[in-house]
Amino acid sequence: MKRPTKAIIAAAGFGTRFLPQTKAMPKEMMPLIDKPIIQYVVEELVEAGIKDIIIVGSSNKRAIEDHFDLPNEDLLQNLRAGGDKKKPLLDEVEQIASMANFIYLRQKGPYGNATPVACASHLIGDEPFIYTFADDFFVADPGRTKQLIETYEKHGGSVLACKKMLDDSEYDKYGVVAGEEVDEATLKVAHFVEKPGKDNAPSDLASVSGYLLTPEVFSYIDTASDEFEGEGELMLQPIMQQMINDGFGVYAREITDGKFYDTGDKLEYIKTVIDFGLAHPKLGPDLREHLKQHI
């Protein structure tokens, strides 16, 4: 089996929930302490062995390209002038560009989460790949991508990253998977139910945060694109349902020993910043005391 070495990150959204902050700055570049959100996504991919990262963006995402490029000479001179005190920062900013091979595409086509995959298909070839998003991720050990690859190597087929729903409201927020349990963390998917509500949910597993996809998906996306009539969005879930109906294996992997973070809305972003701040070795103790004073 070919081990995935390429990933697609969807990063074309306008971040309208965060306007006016995102008028000039991509939402993916909003900070979590001292790194932009998208860097946490990239680091997790690289840690799992991903070598080539295709970022599918839009015309207002130049800051993402600049971030993963080599630092400019003015910044380097400033850090060098700081001597040993600034040496760790110098090493860190120089290392960012060498984490992976970065490829940038502008999204073309209809709205929907299948479109970034279609845009990057010519760069993937006949091999499995990771497809994820730039504003949500898991903090887990082992990481999400490693767990997806582990499931792929064990069962074959495409694999969905999933989380167990802990609150009743989540059943109205996420798509839910239904199927047969094949091991303690994995279902073989039979069908998807979009935002069913708790009473109608076939399981407590929500599909979130990304996929390991096999290359057969490209022909199904092409067919769906040809039949798309311009209404609604070109979505991956019905495309994968058609693959299931045709006999391809699709698995739902609960990402274990970790926590899912969705920074796509204001409240969840604030919660994520607080969690990361509390976990920070230098900032955590003072932040904890500050919060105690206000609660």
Side-chain angles (χ1 to χ4, degrees):
M1 299 174 71
K2 292 182 178 179
R3 185 179 178 89
T5 62
K6 298 178 181 179
I8 301 168
I9 300 179
F14 289 99
T16 54
R17 293 176 182 175
F18 288 93
L19 285 170
Q21 173 61 38
T22 49
K23 179 177 179 291
M25 184 181 77
K27 65 175 181 177
E28 299 85 2
M29 291 298 296
M30 292 177 63
L32 292 177
I33 311 302
D34 52 7
K35 296 178 187 178
I37 297 166
I38 193 172
Q39 185 170 332
Y40 290 95
V41 177
V42 167
E43 288 176 346
E44 189 267 338
L45 292 168
V46 170
E47 195 266 339
I50 299 301
K51 307 295 184 185
D52 302 314
I53 296 177
I54 305 159
I55 299 176
V56 181
S58 55
S59 60
N60 64 334
K61 301 303 176 87
R62 180 60 187 269
I64 296 175
E65 297 183 35
D66 291 342
H67 180 72
F68 291 108
D69 198 357
L70 292 169
N72 67 61
E73 191 58 33
D74 289 341
L75 174 60
L76 292 177
Q77 288 182 6
N78 179 277
L79 293 175
R80 290 171 186 144
D84 291 342
K85 183 178 179 180
K86 295 290 183 70
K87 182 66 165 54
L89 291 175
L90 177 63
D91 294 340
E92 186 172 6
V93 298
E94 287 186 320
Q95 188 268 340
I96 290 173
S98 62
M99 286 194 295
N101 302 313
F102 293 99
I103 303 122
Y104 302 95
L105 299 176
R106 288 195 181 180
Q107 181 167 307
K108 299 176 182 178
Y111 288 115
N113 62 8
T115 298
V117 180
C119 291
S121 61
H122 64 291
L123 298 173
I124 299 295
D126 186 24
E127 58 185 276
F129 62 98
I130 302 297
Y131 175 44
T132 189
F133 307 99
D135 60 358
D136 62 39
F137 56 91
F138 281 88
V139 174
D141 185 19
R144 171 201 56 189
T145 301
K146 281 190 173 181
Q147 294 191 42
L148 293 178
I149 293 173
E150 176 189 83
T151 300
Y152 165 72
E153 292 177 336
K154 185 176 182 180
H155 300 292
S158 296
V159 189
L160 316 175
C162 295
K163 69 178 287 292
K164 279 202 172 179
M165 288 176 283
L166 305 176
D167 186 270
D168 289 357
S169 65
E170 292 184 312
Y171 290 87
D172 297 309
K173 182 178 181 180
Y174 299 116
V176 180
V177 297
E180 177 186 358
E181 184 176 310
V182 293
D183 63 45
E184 60 183 10
T186 311
L187 295 181
K188 185 172 184 180
V189 180
H191 62 274
F192 304 89
V193 183
E194 186 65 21
K195 302 176 183 178
K198 186 174 182 180
D199 291 342
N200 298 314
S203 77
D204 61 356
L205 278 185
S207 174
V208 297
S209 185
Y211 312 80
L212 186 157
L213 298 173
T214 56
E216 292 84 8
V217 73
F218 295 131
S219 63
Y220 283 84
I221 292 176
D222 288 343
T223 299
S225 298
D226 291 341
E227 296 173 352
F228 186 71
E229 297 179 353
E231 297 182 3
E233 299 181 6
L234 184 63
M235 299 301 292
L236 196 56
Q237 286 76 5
I239 291 169
M240 297 188 75
Q241 184 66 62
Q242 186 59 56
M243 294 177 67
I244 292 169
N245 296 345
D246 289 346
F248 288 98
V250 174
Y251 297 87
R253 168 64 187 254
E254 178 192 352
I255 304 303
T256 55
D257 298 317
K259 183 173 181 179
F260 173 62
Y261 289 98
D262 182 356
T263 63
D265 69 64
K266 293 174 184 177
L267 179 58
E268 292 304 317
Y269 172 73
I270 293 169
K271 290 178 181 178
T272 304
V273 172
I274 292 172
D275 279 4
F276 276 57
L278 290 172
H280 194 281
K282 293 183 179 179
L283 305 178
D286 287 344
L287 177 58
R288 186 170 286 103
E289 288 303 313
H290 175 76
L291 293 174
K292 286 180 180 178
Q293 293 174 16
H294 288 77
I295 297 175

